[in-house]
Amino acid sequence: MRLVIARCSVDYAGRLTAHLPSAPRLILVKADGSVSIHADDRAYKPLNWMSPPCALKEGTGDEEGVWTVVNKAGEKLIITMEEILHDSSHELGVDPGLIKDGVEAHLQELLADRIEILGEGYTLIRREYMTAIGPVDILCRDADGGTVAVEIKRRGEIDGVEQLTRYLELLNRDPHLAPVRGVFAAQEIKPQARVLATDRGIGCQVLDYDAMRGIEDDKLRLF
């Protein structure tokens, strides 16, 4: 990861245009290629960002101090540096991923055991399918043989959709798995998360934890 603190202005050119006037900001360049620009007043949410896959070009000559980030759709994030206050790089290695609480872990176990909850003809490939940025909760196939990646949360929010999006971008680079579509599964899915998931072609599945535990109990019952 590269951390740059700089006085800069930022212009976005794509489906719409946006401009951030000159100010001190934190710029994060991650190993997955993503670039995000942060202020000091809004927790984790960036002011602007470019999701991977994208390419960063640092200008030289007359363009020195101008960073241009371009994604696969041709959208551009142009960062004009006026003064760099800090610039450092750090090797973080492979993250072990979020350790789920008991409910999320049990939801994963139940859904893997009853994968047909997602649809008739679904079959499990494996739980905790490892990627370079962490494990996908469940990897399975639908009735047509297509690969499906499932991210499970107790409460489905935008962060979970973003996490699944990153997994899908990686998985779809594997010719043995592609095309891979996503399903965002949670006990409760917030409206904003559902809108974002739908916009990205990700399906949503509400999980009834009590009912799923009931299914498990019925399965173990002899009479």
Side-chain angles (χ1 to χ4, degrees):
M1 178 183 290
R2 184 177 178 187
L3 307 173
V4 178
I5 299 175
R7 179 173 293 278
C8 63
S9 59
V10 183
D11 292 279
Y12 170 80
R15 288 169 291 180
L16 47 81
T17 58
H19 175 71
L20 294 174
S22 176
R25 298 189 175 95
L26 168 65
I27 303 163
L28 298 182
V29 183
K30 295 186 178 180
D32 63 3
S34 63
V35 178
S36 57
I37 296 126
H38 299 259
D40 201 19
D41 65 347
R42 53 181 66 203
Y44 62 89
K45 188 175 181 181
L47 296 165
N48 215 326
W49 68 94
M50 193 70 82
S51 300
C54 56
L56 167 62
K57 179 182 178 182
E58 297 185 41
T60 58
D62 292 340
E63 295 295 318
E64 186 175 0
V66 177
W67 290 14
T68 303
V69 188
V70 184
N71 67 11
K72 62 182 179 181
E75 298 169 315
K76 293 183 179 181
L77 194 63
I78 301 169
I79 308 168
T80 303
M81 306 288 188
E82 298 172 15
E83 180 184 8
I84 294 179
L85 306 172
H86 174 85
D87 188 348
S88 64
S89 296
H90 308 270
E91 183 60 53
L92 303 184
V94 177
D95 191 90
L98 178 69
I99 298 175
K100 294 182 176 294
D101 65 21
V103 172
E104 287 188 13
H106 200 205
L107 280 169
Q108 183 192 112
E109 180 183 345
L110 289 169
L111 186 57
D113 191 47
R114 293 285 186 170
I115 200 67
E116 65 272 11
I117 289 174
L118 296 177
E120 187 177 350
Y122 274 66
T123 56
L124 178 70
I125 296 176
R126 66 166 298 166
R127 292 169 54 191
E128 299 288 333
Y129 185 89
M130 186 56 66
T131 74
I133 58 173
V136 176
D137 287 334
I138 289 178
L139 198 68
C140 57
R141 295 196 186 279
D142 60 23
D144 298 322
T147 311
V148 182
V150 185
E151 179 63 26
I152 299 170
K153 299 292 184 188
R154 184 163 55 171
R155 178 178 297 146
E157 299 182 343
I158 284 177
D159 284 355
V161 178
E162 294 284 7
Q163 183 180 357
L164 179 53
T165 299
R166 293 192 293 271
Y167 287 144
L168 290 171
E169 287 171 345
L170 279 178
L171 293 169
N172 273 299
R173 298 178 195 175
D174 186 340
H176 297 99
L177 297 175
V180 185
R181 63 182 181 87
V183 172
F184 188 49
Q187 288 179 274
E188 174 193 3
I189 300 177
K190 296 293 186 180
Q192 299 94 328
R194 187 180 291 275
V195 169
L196 181 61
T198 301
D199 182 66
R200 295 183 176 180
I202 293 172
C204 292
Q205 177 75 45
V206 175
L207 302 175
D208 187 329
Y209 183 47
D210 292 333
M212 290 172 73
R213 285 190 296 174
I215 289 172
E216 182 188 51
D217 292 340
D218 289 341
K219 190 178 178 185
L220 297 175
R221 195 173 295 135
L222 295 177
F223 303 100

